[in-house]
């Protein structure tokens, strides 16, 4: 059988056949590198398939390939400096590599320097590690907190840590885990700053139980537009506290924070992965798993019919020493060996992620787990941050970048709403490489993303027509009483924001008092009508 | 636990060295002028690396106070890293002796003043390591920075002699010659990327050299070759070059 035939056969085969084929290509997983390997394999197969399956356009494709390879080589040779020296502007973008902007970036290492910047500049926004996907941390003037990154105190008895806002969660874990502590709330990457975690009021797999980041912040200091520094907590200046948590940097610059940690026996998690044939079954599993402290599901959003929304639910809890199987782990339950990471050193050509390669990846991923249910003990990096092992993985989406469309629907309407949205995605042939489903609980604050309901996060490469398509999805989300996650958003319009966030008006009125003349503003806050 | 004293601890290179040695388990004393501005660094080092760190006031140009400074240190150091230096402005220094003197005193006289004291202590104790951060600029005088270069040349020669003297006393002396390093001191200077090191790279190189008890190291390594070539350009040609 020719390669072309084999690949076509594979991609179009019935699930049971795919399962068999898949196992021949790749045996079930035993370490986290396998998902990486799968990803690369899927991309490669897809790219090859594109070449072979389109014999007529083969020449053109090959020419394009050659061009892109040429571009690439050229780029590697002439590394453009990050800052255009003359204008003093830097070219930056956040995680989605879209939009690309030229802005002025300020840095500070002490409060006096920051105060000078804040009082002397308009149109400013704080920026942490740029892990939001869109334009939340972008404005004409960006204040980077990355050099303001010192630990101030750590009480290893009580589990209270105080640090400057530029400290990364990864650095924080390096410090606290060996002493038997963990973050009660952590998102799917540890490469974010404490300031960014507060401003987006991030959440993670524990949201339904532990709430959001703000629920575990004891206090923080905030620099306002006039350069004054105010301490905020749930007791002291609570209004300012709740406007800042989830306030997307619009109240000022978070300087320091004191966080309450969670005691743990080990750096490991006991995890169960359960396969579900379709969306409804997956949601049943979520509802059965509500007592588990951590849960999330990956779904294959490229399958139609009765298998639509098939996926794998992962639920877990902190492992006790007695859960650990390997003697080395038991001996040192709080210390992880450092593992080698991978890197995507440059932007992949746009064609690598195509519908076929994604379909192959999704199918391989679904079938690599043979049994319906698998129990394992994994370290916290594998449990929370599987994507972090590949630095710059966002580059696989190519230079045009990508966006994440993350929405939430109320629990009552979720089953129907999710079904409708998935159907629409499949019907349109829109392709999401990564889709993550989770059941949420309530969230405090003025602009909470979470509510009791289901959220789905979809990664889309930026292609012509995408934003129009997402506008259509917005209408469905709105009709079901849902909303979009601001820290992932890059395109929603003013109406969508104002209609879907019930306290938007209140937030804006309140913000007017705190942030006079909207000195702090981002491209996002202008776009969605908060500051314009 | 071994203790490292870092002289001139405010610079980017010194901070990188502090973090590197702390990560390897050494206790740290950060000595600098206006040491108050380092107040945040000590607890950060302690929390990140579970070592103990402190700050001490030290002025490289306050020669008279050096002996007291050293005897009053809360911990006798096992490793002393002399990082302080002053690049100055060559053009100003050519016509303004105060600037020239500041360059010479900071890079050379100050180093001699404090390291003499350290050397005598280590010699008596029969142990210890002295690490001097000199510069490739000291390998050959060039018109663009020969005042800085000559002071560093003197410092390099001093370290070489010190090594010769102390080798018999179980005291090690390491001379470090960084090339271009991207720091506050060189901010805004157009440095060629491929031969310009980050401070963290310098720190890693210094630590490796310290562990291997090397005598003289260039960082990055390519500078050893570059300086070899530069040193061997015949003077009749060299003097005509715009270096
Ligand atoms: C792979 C990946 C997985 C993710 N998974 C999740 C997840 O599971 N759950 C989740 O909630 N999020 C998730 N995120 C999003 C990410 O956690 C948030 O966008 C976070 O806010 C990024 O932090 P940052 O330090 O990079 O901040 P940036 O992206 O630089 O900024 C984000 C926002 O915070 C503001 N901000 C940053 N620092 C300060 C400061 N010092 N003072 C005031 N405002 C500030 C900015 O103005 C901006 O509005 C994920 C992102 C990635 C890339």
């Amino acid at each position: 059988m020719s390669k072309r035939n084999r690949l076509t056969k594979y991609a179009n085969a019935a699930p049971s056949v795919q399962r068999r084929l898949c196992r021949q290509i790749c045996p079930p997983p035993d370490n986290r590198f396998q998902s990486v390997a799968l990803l690369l394999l899927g991309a490669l197969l897809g790219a090859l398939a594109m070449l072979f399956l389109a014999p007529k356009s083969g020449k053109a494709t090959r020419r394009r390939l050659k061009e892109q390879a040429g571009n690439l080589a050229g780029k590697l040779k002439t590394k453009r400096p990050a800052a255009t020296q003359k204008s003093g502007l830097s070219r930056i973008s956040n995680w989605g590599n879209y939009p690309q902007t030229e802005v002025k970036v300020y840095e500070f290492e002490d409060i006096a320097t920051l105060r000078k910047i804040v009082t002397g500049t308009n149109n400013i926004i704080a920026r942490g590690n740029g892990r939001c996907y869109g334009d939340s941390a972008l404005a004409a003037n960006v204040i980077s907190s990355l050099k303001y990154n010192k630990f101030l105190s750590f009480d290893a008895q009580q589990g209270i840590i105080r640090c400057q806002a530029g400290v990364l969660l990864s650095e924080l874990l390096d410090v606290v885990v060996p002493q038997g502590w963990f973050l009660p709330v952590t998102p799917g990457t540890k490469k974010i700053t404490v300031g960014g975690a507060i401003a987006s009021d991030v959440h993670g797999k524990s949201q339904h139980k532990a709430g959001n980041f703000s629920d575990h912040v004891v206090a923080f200091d905030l620099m306002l537009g006039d350069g004054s520094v105010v301490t905020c907590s749930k007791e002291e200046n609570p209004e300012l506290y709740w406007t800042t948590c989830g306030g997307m940097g619009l109240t000022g610059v978070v300087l320091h924070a004191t966080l309450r940690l969670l005691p743990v026996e080990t750096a490991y998690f006991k995890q169960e992965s359960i396969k579900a044939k379709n969306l409804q079954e997956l949601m049943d599993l979520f509802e059965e798993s509500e007592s588990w402290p951590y849960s999330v599901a990956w779904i294959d959003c490229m399958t139609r019919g009765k298998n639509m929304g098939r996926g794998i639910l992962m639920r877990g809890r902190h492992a006790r020493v007695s859960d650990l199987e390997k003697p080395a782990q038991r001996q040192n339950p709080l210390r992880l060996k450092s593992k080698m990471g991978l890197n995507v050193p440059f932007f992949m050509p746009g064609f690598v992620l195509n519908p076929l390669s994604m379909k192959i990846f999704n199918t391989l991923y679904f079938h690599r787990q043979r049994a319906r249910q698998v129990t394992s003990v994994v370290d916290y990096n594998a449990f929370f941050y599987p994507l972090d092992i590949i630095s710059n993985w966002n580059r696989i989406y190519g230079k045009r970048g990508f966006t994440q469309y993350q929405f939430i629907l109320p629990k009552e309407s979720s089953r129907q709403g999710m079904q409708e949205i998935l159907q629409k995605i499949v019907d349109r042939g829109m392709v999401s490489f990564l889709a993550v489903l989770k059941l949420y609980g309530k969230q405090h604050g003025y602009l909470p993303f979470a509510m009791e309901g289901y959220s789905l996060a979809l990664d889309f490469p930026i292609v012509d027509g995408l934003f129009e398509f997402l506008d259509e999805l917005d209408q469905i989300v709105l009709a079901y009483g849902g909303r979009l996650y601001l820290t992932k958003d890059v395109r929603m319009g003013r109406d969508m924001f104002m209609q879907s966030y019930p306290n938007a008006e209140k937030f804006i009125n309140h913000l007017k008092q705190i942030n006079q003349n909207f000195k702090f503003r981002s491209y996002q806050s202008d776009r969605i009508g908060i500051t314009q | 636990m071994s203790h490292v004293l870092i002289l001139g601890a405010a610079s980017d290179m010194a901070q990188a060295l502090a973090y590197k040695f702390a990560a390897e388990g050494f206790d740290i004393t950060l000595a600098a002028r206006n040491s108050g501005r380092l107040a945040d660094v000590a607890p950060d080092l302690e929390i990140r690396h579970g070592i103990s760190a402190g700050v001490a006031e030290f002025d490289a140009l306050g020669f008279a106070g050096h002996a007291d400074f050293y005897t009053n240190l809360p911990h006798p150091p096992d490793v002393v890293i002399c990082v302080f230096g002053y690049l100055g402005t060559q053009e100003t220094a050519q016509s303004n002796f105060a600037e020239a003197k500041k360059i010479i005193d900071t890079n050379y006289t100050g180093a001699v003043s404090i390291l003499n004291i350290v050397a005598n202590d280590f010699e008596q104790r029969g142990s210890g390591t002295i690490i001097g951060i000199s510069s490739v600029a000291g390998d050959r005088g060039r018109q663009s920075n020969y005042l800085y270069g000559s002071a560093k040349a003197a410092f390099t020669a001093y370290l070489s002699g010190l090594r010769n003297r102390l080798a018999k006393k179980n005291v090690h002396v390491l001379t470090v010659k960084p090339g271009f390093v991207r720091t506050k001191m060189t901010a805004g200077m157009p440095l060629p990327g491929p031969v310009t090191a980050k401070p963290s790279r310098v720190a890693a190189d210094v630590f490796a050299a310290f562990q291997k008890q090397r005598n003289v190291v260039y960082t990055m390594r390519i500078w050893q070759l570059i300086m070899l070539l530069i040193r061997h350009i015949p003077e009749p040609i060299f003097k005509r070059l715009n270096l």
Side-chain angles (χ1 to χ4, degrees), chain A residues 161-323:
Chain A
I161 193 156
R162 185 168 161 76
C163 62
Q164 295 174 345
V167 166
L168 297 176
L169 298 190
S170 55
E171 300 175 289
L172 201 139
L173 290 171
D174 284 345
V175 166
V176 304
V177 174
Q179 309 261 10
W181 299 96
F182 208 83
L183 285 164
V185 167
T186 169
T189 172
K190 57 177 177 172
K191 300 288 173 196
I192 73 162
T193 63
V194 168
I198 291 173
S200 298
D201 201 1
V202 299
H203 60 262
K205 289 181 177 189
S206 61
Q207 202 282 339
H208 62 292
K209 288 291 248 193
N212 288 61
F213 203 80
S214 61
D215 291 308
H216 310 274
V217 174
V218 178
F220 57 77
D221 299 327
L222 179 75
M223 184 178 285
L224 300 170
D226 62 2
S228 61
V229 176
V230 189
T231 301
C232 309
S233 69
K234 289 159 199 122
E235 296 78 35
E236 196 177 351
N237 300 307
E239 282 296 297
L240 200 47
Y241 181 90
W242 289 114
T243 322
T244 302
C245 294
M248 304 309 289
L250 297 173
T251 55
V253 182
V254 175
L255 286 172
H256 323 106
T258 309
L259 311 175
R260 193 185 312 281
L261 303 165
L262 184 76
V264 292
E265 248 180 60
T266 76
Y268 296 85
F269 286 79
K270 188 137 188 170
Q271 170 175 287
E272 290 184 8
S273 313
I274 310 172
K275 277 164 78 161
K277 282 205 264 324
N278 55 40
L279 187 66
Q280 302 303 330
E281 205 182 295
L282 202 52
M283 288 179 155
D284 290 341
L285 278 175
F286 262 115
E287 282 155 43
E288 265 168 40
S289 311
E290 272 190 85
S291 64
W292 286 72
Y294 300 96
S295 65
V296 73
W298 164 84
I299 76 173
D300 170 3
C301 57
M302 300 185 71
T303 319
R304 299 165 175 276
K306 63 180 192 335
N307 285 328
M308 193 167 75
R310 69 178 177 185
I312 301 177
L313 176 98
M314 282 158 273
R315 59 190 189 191
R317 59 171 175 79
H318 291 273
R320 295 197 196 89
V321 175
S322 55
D323 292 321

Side-chain angles (χ1 to χ4, degrees), chain B residues 179-220:
Chain B
F180 295 139
V181 185
R182 176 119 6 243
T183 63
K184 279 188 229 103
M185 185 165 101
T186 59
M189 286 168 49
L191 302 178
V195 294
T196 303
K198 281 200 227 152
S200 56
R201 167 75 192 272
V202 172
D205 285 354
V206 170
F207 188 79
F210 160 73
Q211 268 190 319
K212 287 189 215 136
Q213 301 250 316
R214 301 270 307 274
N215 298 313
V216 181
V217 290
Y218 287 80
T219 159
M220 314 156 77

Side-chain angles (χ1 to χ4, degrees), chain A residues 109 149-154 161-162 164 167 171 175, chain B residues 12 15 19 40-41 43-44 47-49 184 188 190:
Chain A
E109 286 178 48
N149 67 340
K150 301 253 174 342
F151 286 96
L152 302 173
S153 66
F154 176 33
I161 193 156
R162 185 168 161 76
Q164 295 174 345
V167 166
E171 300 175 289
V175 166
Chain B
D12 290 341
Q15 302 251 320
Y19 279 90
D40 281 350
V41 181
D44 187 51
I47 295 168
R48 281 179 196 261
H49 300 300
K184 279 188 229 103

Side-chain angles (χ1 to χ4, degrees), chain A residues 94-95 125-133 136-137 145 165 186-189 191-197 199-204 222 248-250 252-255 387-388 393 406 485 487-488 524:
Chain A
N94 292 323
W95 191 244
I125 195 74
R127 184 170 191 257
N129 207 24
R131 250 48 175 191
C132 63
Y133 278 64
S136 318
S145 70
T186 169
T189 172
K191 300 288 173 196
I192 73 162
T193 63
V194 168
S200 298
D201 201 1
V202 299
H203 60 262
L222 179 75
M248 304 309 289
L250 297 173
V253 182
V254 175
L255 286 172
L387 288 169
D388 282 348
W393 63 259
Q406 181 171 9
Y485 194 10
T487 208
K488 308 284 177 73
Q524 178 182 52

Side-chain angles (χ1 to χ4, degrees), chain A residues 29-32 205 265-273 292 314-336 339 373-384:
Chain A
D30 50 44
N31 69 39
R32 64 209 181 107
K205 289 181 177 189
E265 248 180 60
T266 76
Y268 296 85
F269 286 79
K270 188 137 188 170
Q271 170 175 287
E272 290 184 8
S273 313
W292 286 72
M314 282 158 273
R315 59 190 189 191
R317 59 171 175 79
H318 291 273
R320 295 197 196 89
V321 175
S322 55
D323 292 321
L324 303 179
E325 286 137 14
K326 298 187 185 139
Q329 294 177 346
R330 280 183 181 232
Q331 223 158 44
N332 250 330
L334 290 166
R335 283 191 191 266
L336 302 182
K339 286 189 185 159
Q373 180 162 345
V374 172
T375 306
S376 52
V377 172
V378 296
D379 67 37
Y380 73 80
N381 288 315
F383 188 72
F384 285 115

Side-chain angles (χ1 to χ4, degrees), chain B residues 13 17 50 64-65 69 72-73 76 90 97 102-103 111 114 121 127-128 138 148 152 162 191 194 207 223 236 240:
Chain B
M13 201 189 292
L17 284 161
F69 158 79
N72 291 338
L73 280 174
Q90 171 69 26
F97 182 66
K102 188 172 168 190
I103 293 175
I114 182 67
D121 178 44
S127 70
Y148 177 75
K152 285 297 192 187
L162 201 59
L191 302 178
F207 188 79
W223 282 97
R240 285 171 215 281

